[in-house]
Amino acid sequence: MQVSSRSSDWLDRTLAAVRDAGCAVVKDVLSERQLEVTRAAMYRVRDAIFSSVGADRLRRSGELGVLRLMMQFDTHFFSLLELTPMLAVVDGTVSPTATLHLQNGLLLRSAERDPDRAAARPAPPFHRDFPRVLNRYLMSINCMLALDQFTNANGATRVVLASHQQTDPPDLSDLERRAVSIECPVRSMIVFDSTLWHAAGINRSGADRLAINHQFTRAYLKPQIDYVRALGDKTVLGLPEKTQQLLGWYTRVPASLEDYYRPESERLYRRGQG
Ligand SMILES: O=C(O)CCC(=O)C(=O)O
């Protein structure tokens, strides 16, 4: 299901498709300007992460094309957490108190320019980003921004429709047989239930395929990275309140009795989170 964020019923249709098929595409989520700035920032951050972590360590982890914690390297990435359609989907699925689990830049290189992938792991494996099913209660949602047109040729994400919220894992050949590529225009947002089986495709286009995957969860789950500690109180306090919520400002864990017995208005963990 593909729908433009400019249509009046896009949210209802998106939420219904995510519930029934596990996945939907919302078009026209980023402006041309946001696209241009985000793409340029991703390459700068890629270089900064290379210098900071080291190519060897990234290669050993199979993460040469995965950019984690981009917000620490470029404040532009905070602004993506203010995208109205993305926030509407988060609020409508994992609730207005949800938190960010991850924001990962995905720089899928073309296979012939990526000897690691071509040699060792030609096809990215199918997986679920949230591999637990809790009586079909939605715990986690993904919003992946397409910074290129997604095509079969450049490794569009492959999904197995209606494979979400299943307790028994399907066998691999079944996943391969049922998988469809999410071909969609650049500036779209692919929304999927995080229990949906999916995998990156193989990029054979000769150029990088850029995307940013966001995963949001109910507020009482742990994020992949403790964003408040990683970014620092001063930085987080300078951000809009909704961004603070997403980064876990209202779900910090007290580390002392001093913290625990703060007056309610200053508590690190707000009531009603989740
Ligand atoms: O790059 C893609 O198309 C898929 C990425 C993915 O599977 C993930 O980030 O969990």
Side-chain angles (χ1 to χ4, degrees):
M1 199 282 293
Q2 301 205 359
V3 63
S4 169
S5 71
R6 296 189 189 122
S7 72
S8 57
D9 60 349
W10 75 268
L11 184 59
D12 288 346
R13 291 179 61 196
T14 299
L15 299 185
V18 170
R19 185 192 60 227
D20 298 340
C23 176
V25 173
V26 184
K27 297 183 288 186
D28 311 308
V29 166
L30 291 170
S31 67
E32 292 288 356
R33 176 76 190 140
Q34 283 169 322
L35 175 70
E36 190 189 323
V37 173
T38 306
R39 287 182 58 94
M42 261 183 79
Y43 280 107
R44 282 199 306 274
V45 167
R46 191 265 314 262
D47 294 346
I49 291 178
F50 260 52
S51 309
S52 157
V53 180
D56 278 353
R57 232 175 342 156
L58 291 167
R59 184 175 291 111
R60 274 201 301 276
S61 311
E63 296 238 330
L64 275 177
V66 183
L67 312 179
R68 298 184 193 270
L69 201 56
M70 296 187 291
M71 294 173 277
Q72 195 173 59
F73 298 90
D74 194 318
T75 55
H76 168 71
F77 293 98
F78 290 120
S79 70
L80 298 181
L81 300 178
E82 295 177 52
L83 288 172
T84 308
M86 189 154 82
L87 295 182
V89 166
V90 172
D91 289 358
T93 52
V94 281
S95 98
T97 62
T99 50
L100 178 73
H101 183 71
L102 59 81
Q103 182 193 57
N104 286 348
L106 302 170
L107 218 150
L108 188 66
R109 296 180 72 196
S110 195
E112 79 288 349
R113 297 164 66 194
D114 186 352
D116 292 333
R117 174 144 291 178
R121 271 198 312 142
F126 279 97
H127 61 282
R128 297 172 293 177
D129 286 353
F130 188 84
R132 287 174 188 81
V133 174
L134 304 176
N135 205 18
R136 293 188 70 89
Y137 183 67
L138 189 71
M139 297 292 283
S140 176
I141 191 85
N142 283 67
C143 295
M144 186 151 74
L145 302 173
L147 305 180
D148 276 296
Q149 182 185 0
F150 271 31
T151 64
N152 264 322
N154 73 3
T157 309
R158 300 167 72 213
V159 301
V160 181
L161 294 173
S163 66
H164 59 306
Q165 300 293 343
Q166 305 290 314
T167 38
D168 302 327
D171 66 47
L172 193 62
S173 58
D174 195 41
L175 291 175
E176 282 293 344
R177 190 174 50 78
R178 289 167 54 201
V180 293
S181 294
I182 310 236
E183 296 194 284
C184 63
V186 62
R187 303 188 291 107
S188 298
M189 172 172 75
I190 302 169
V191 180
F192 59 98
D193 179 321
S194 310
T195 63
L196 189 78
W197 288 88
H198 67 281
I202 300 178
N203 183 358
R204 295 197 174 90
S205 68
D208 296 339
R209 189 222 66 186
L210 265 55
I212 299 182
N213 195 11
H214 292 88
Q215 186 180 348
F216 300 92
T217 67
R218 304 271 173 190
Y220 41 80
L221 294 175
K222 283 185 186 159
Q224 186 179 74
I225 290 178
D226 182 336
Y227 297 105
V228 174
R229 277 172 60 208
L231 300 163
D233 290 11
K234 190 160 170 272
T235 300
V236 177
L237 280 169
L239 297 167
E241 189 179 0
K242 180 67 175 178
T243 310
Q244 295 173 349
Q245 165 76 46
L246 292 170
L247 295 176
W249 183 251
Y250 299 115
T251 43
R252 289 165 293 161
V253 178
S256 65
L257 293 182
E258 205 53 49
D259 278 347
Y260 188 86
Y261 289 112
R262 285 185 190 204
E264 175 136 9
S265 62
E266 293 169 23
R267 282 202 193 142
L268 305 186
Y269 203 111
R270 234 187 213 178
R271 271 183 209 277
Q273 294 289 312

